[in-house]
């Protein structure tokens, strides 16, 4: 459990496991932290590999700074952490906002990533169900009081009174979601595993579209398997993906070792 000085932040991170291969960086979702995003799967992954779990600006143990949340800045923070630790290249497993940060790493910092596992990611605003975020600007911090995210924040944040500011920053991020063109997705060099719940906030049609842009959607027995993969978890919502460790851990291990 340590802090690293990166881009004006004291970024909190944890190291687990001692695997000899590329480390895997875990990047949490919005309003979440290491515990609520990866509490069940982190110990599974750390059995066979070195795991770096980070907490981004204003989340968990990492204090806020005077800067809006953007996936570009958050991805740059992760790169700065790798520089601080002397890590040339890492695999990435991101969920929700963390998956968007992971995708930005894959498109803007391709030389720093090996393989990407992106859970609940959309590459443009059409990936979400229509109207899903219509009420997001009406979200108030008290609506989340008592949730696992709020309770985690109260336990870990340097300033527990900063939760309202975090909610405001996330609302601004959701009001201007990151976008990638189809050509940018086609150009991603890293092998990508897309993970989706069958009742997620991202439409399954969008996940399949992204899978095809990455080279999937082919008869593998005839053409060979593509380097990308698609996993749609049954009976799974957006917020229950972190609870599917018994399914995800072996799939992720096999993909990262491929």
């Amino acid at each position: 459990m340590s802090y690293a000085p990166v881009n004006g932040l004291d970024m909190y991170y944890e190291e687990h496991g001692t695997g000899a291969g590329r480390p895997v960086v875990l990047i949490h979702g919005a309003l979440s932290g290491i515990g609520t995003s990866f509490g069940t799967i982190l110990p599974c992954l750390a059995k066979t590999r070195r795991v770096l779990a980070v907490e981004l600006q204003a989340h968990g143990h990492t204090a806020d700074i005077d800067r809006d949340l953007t996936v570009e800045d958050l991805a740059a923070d992760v790169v700065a952490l790798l520089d601080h630790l002397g890590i040339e290249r890492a695999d990435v497993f991101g969920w929700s906002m963390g998956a968007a940060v992971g995708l930005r790493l894959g498109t803007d910092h391709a030389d720093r990533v090996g393989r990407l596992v992106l859970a609940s990611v959309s590459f443009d605003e059409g990936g979400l169900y229509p109207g899903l975020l219509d009420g997001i600007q009406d979200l108030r911090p008290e609506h989340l009081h008592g949730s696992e995210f709020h309770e985690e924040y109260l336990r870990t944040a340097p300033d527990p009174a900063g939760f309202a500011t975090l909610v405001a920053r996330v609302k601004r991020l959701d009001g201007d979601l990151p976008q990638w063109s189809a050509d940018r997705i086609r150009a991603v060099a890293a092998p990508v595993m897309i993970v989706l719940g069958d009742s997620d906030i991202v439409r399954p049609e969008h996940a399949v579209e992204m899978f095809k842009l990455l080279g999937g959607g082919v008869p593998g027995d005839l053409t060979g398997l593509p380097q990308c993969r698609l996993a749609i978890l049954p009976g799974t919502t957006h917020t229950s993906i972190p609870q599917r460790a018994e399914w995800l851990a072996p799939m992720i291990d096999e993909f990262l070792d491929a």
Side-chain angles (χ1 to χ4, degrees):
M1 301 180 185
S2 304
Y3 289 86
V6 299
N7 299 332
L9 287 172
D10 288 324
M11 178 184 279
Y12 176 84
Y13 68 96
E14 297 179 5
E15 294 197 56
H16 300 264
T18 57
R22 274 193 311 262
V24 57
V25 179
L26 307 187
I27 310 178
H28 58 79
L31 302 172
S32 183
I34 293 171
T36 50
S37 285
F38 302 115
T40 57
I41 196 169
L42 192 160
C44 302
L45 296 176
K47 290 178 181 178
T48 58
R49 64 188 73 251
R50 181 183 177 192
V51 176
L52 298 172
V54 305
E55 288 185 332
L56 302 173
Q57 174 191 339
H59 289 78
H61 298 78
T62 300
D64 198 6
I65 59 174
D66 186 15
R67 184 184 73 176
D68 281 342
L69 296 179
T70 69
V71 294
E72 292 81 8
D73 284 343
L74 298 177
D77 293 342
V78 173
V79 170
L81 175 64
L82 296 180
D83 290 340
H84 175 78
L85 296 174
I87 297 171
E88 181 178 350
R89 180 173 293 187
D91 297 325
V92 173
F93 171 29
W95 169 60
S96 194
M97 181 185 74
V101 174
L103 181 54
R104 185 62 71 190
L105 287 166
T107 57
D108 291 18
H109 306 276
D111 59 326
R112 306 306 301 271
V113 299
R115 290 174 172 259
L116 298 171
V117 180
L118 306 178
S120 301
V121 69
S122 63
F123 65 87
D124 63 31
E125 60 186 8
L128 304 181
Y129 284 97
L132 185 75
L133 294 177
D134 284 354
I136 190 65
Q137 298 309 319
D138 296 325
L139 178 68
R140 297 195 298 273
E142 55 266 30
H143 293 157
L144 296 167
H145 287 183
S147 69
E148 63 175 352
F149 304 121
H150 183 237
E151 290 176 354
E152 180 185 40
Y153 188 89
L154 294 178
R155 290 195 308 272
T156 61
D159 177 14
F163 188 70
T165 300
L166 172 59
V167 171
R169 292 202 187 284
V170 170
K171 286 165 60 175
R172 284 195 291 274
L173 177 63
D174 285 344
D176 186 20
L177 291 175
Q179 308 281 322
W180 290 264
S181 68
D183 286 342
R184 292 296 302 279
I185 300 301
R186 288 191 192 95
V188 172
V192 178
M193 177 176 170
I194 300 168
V195 177
L196 193 74
D198 61 356
S199 298
D200 212 315
I201 62 173
V202 177
R203 299 182 301 110
E205 298 91 338
H206 184 80
V208 171
E209 179 184 1
M210 185 173 179
F211 179 57
K212 290 180 177 179
L213 289 172
L214 292 166
V218 298
D221 287 324
L222 300 178
T223 65
L225 284 171
Q227 67 174 3
C228 59
R229 300 188 183 183
L230 173 63
I232 298 181
L233 308 181
T236 301
T237 67
H238 183 65
T239 55
S240 64
I241 281 181
Q243 310 307 318
R244 299 305 193 194
E246 72 280 8
W247 294 346
L248 282 173
M251 288 193 290
I252 292 173
D253 272 331
E254 197 273 337
F255 173 66
L256 296 183
D257 289 339

